[in-house]
Amino acid sequence: LTAFTLFPKLPIELRVKIFKDYLSTATRLVHIYWHARQRVFKSSQAIPPLLHVCQESRYEALKKYQLSFAPSPEFARVYFSFEKDVLMVCWRTLGAYPGRIVKKMGDGEAAKVRHLIMNEEALLFHAEDDGRELERFTGLNTLGVACDPANVESGDQYGRLAMERLAYGLNGGFDDLHEDDEEDGQEVVGKRPKPVKEEKWPEVVCLRSDAQGQQRCSRHW
């Protein structure tokens, strides 16, 4: 009662339709890390099941999943669907923070990633680096932020004000001026606007619902 043993006897057109229907909805969170000794990206995520069910399912699955995240195809070890899957990079394995992808992942593949999740700490380190590594992901539709599971309620470490300052800085922000700085021959004290960047980061908004009695914070956005 736990297996449909008649599946192989279905018409091939119907079997293929079932495979395609499954592939159209399957979404995975794929966490990748850099294996320094082998010099490749790896993942603990299981291989998509249709890739090893049978020859027919593998043929259909390979239209969606491809070995990815390497400077050249022969070094790719991770099956990924750029259309459906969500990528999460372990930036710590790439070296000193904020971590450099540089030659470890091709620019073409980075540009094809549509959905990316980062933990809050990694995002702040990248923001301090002016987002240079994140600029490689030019095709992003969504950027999710994962909070610290030990501190999900109040955002004490990076509260709302800190995250708003981060977003403000990424959108241009202000430069500090010292008392001895001069502008147009006059002494200037305080702050002045930076040139506004072309890119605009979204407003920091907590997606948790007040109706559920949960405190809104800097996270879940």
Side-chain angles (χ1 to χ4, degrees), residues 2-218:
T2 60
F4 182 58
T5 57
L6 298 180
F7 185 83
K9 296 183 179 181
L10 294 176
I12 185 172
E13 295 83 3
L14 184 54
R15 297 200 301 268
V16 169
K17 183 176 177 63
I18 292 173
F19 294 144
K20 288 183 176 180
D21 183 66
Y22 171 81
L23 290 169
S24 68
T25 58
T27 300
R28 304 177 307 149
L29 173 61
V30 180
H31 186 273
I32 65 174
Y33 62 93
W34 179 250
H35 195 292
R37 188 177 62 178
Q38 298 183 16
R39 302 196 61 78
V40 295
F41 275 113
K42 289 192 170 184
S43 176
S44 57
Q45 177 71 37
I47 295 176
L50 288 190
L51 286 173
H52 51 74
V53 170
C54 64
Q55 187 175 2
E56 288 176 356
S57 67
R58 182 176 179 82
Y59 178 80
E60 294 300 327
L62 286 176
K63 296 178 182 178
K64 177 176 180 178
Y65 298 105
Q66 53 188 282
L67 287 171
S68 307
F69 307 125
S72 55
E74 64 268 23
F75 297 109
R77 300 289 187 274
V78 181
Y79 280 104
F80 192 81
S81 167
F82 291 97
E83 177 188 357
K84 290 287 186 178
D85 288 343
V86 181
L87 179 66
M88 188 169 187
V89 181
C90 183
W91 296 96
R92 288 187 179 277
T93 63
L94 299 176
Y97 255 24
R100 306 291 184 198
I101 290 180
V102 196
K103 298 180 181 179
K104 299 178 177 70
M105 181 188 300
D107 287 335
E109 288 190 323
K112 290 194 295 183
V113 174
R114 296 291 177 264
H115 312 287
L116 181 69
I117 286 184
M118 301 182 67
N119 65 53
E120 206 168 26
E121 181 184 22
L123 179 63
L124 290 178
F125 274 109
H126 281 285
E128 292 174 359
D129 192 45
D130 205 27
R132 288 188 295 169
E133 290 295 303
L134 300 185
E135 288 178 353
R136 296 164 58 87
F137 297 94
T138 57
L140 283 183
N141 291 333
T142 58
L143 171 63
V145 181
C147 63
D148 179 359
N151 181 25
V152 298
E153 293 298 331
S154 60
D156 290 336
Q157 186 175 5
Y158 307 115
R160 169 175 288 278
L161 291 179
M163 294 300 286
E164 287 179 347
R165 285 196 298 269
L166 162 64
Y168 184 67
L170 290 170
N171 282 335
F174 289 94
D175 274 332
D176 289 330
L177 284 181
H178 301 291
E179 291 184 0
D180 57 352
D181 287 342
E182 293 185 357
E183 188 174 21
D184 297 331
Q186 298 181 354
E187 184 177 277
V188 179
V189 179
K191 299 175 181 293
R192 63 181 174 191
K194 282 183 180 178
V196 178
K197 299 180 181 180
E198 294 182 1
E199 298 84 0
K200 284 292 184 181
W201 284 67
E203 181 183 357
V204 178
V205 178
C206 180
L207 299 181
R208 300 174 69 175
S209 171
D210 284 336
Q212 299 174 358
Q214 295 176 317
Q215 178 182 354
R216 290 184 177 270
C217 61
S218 68

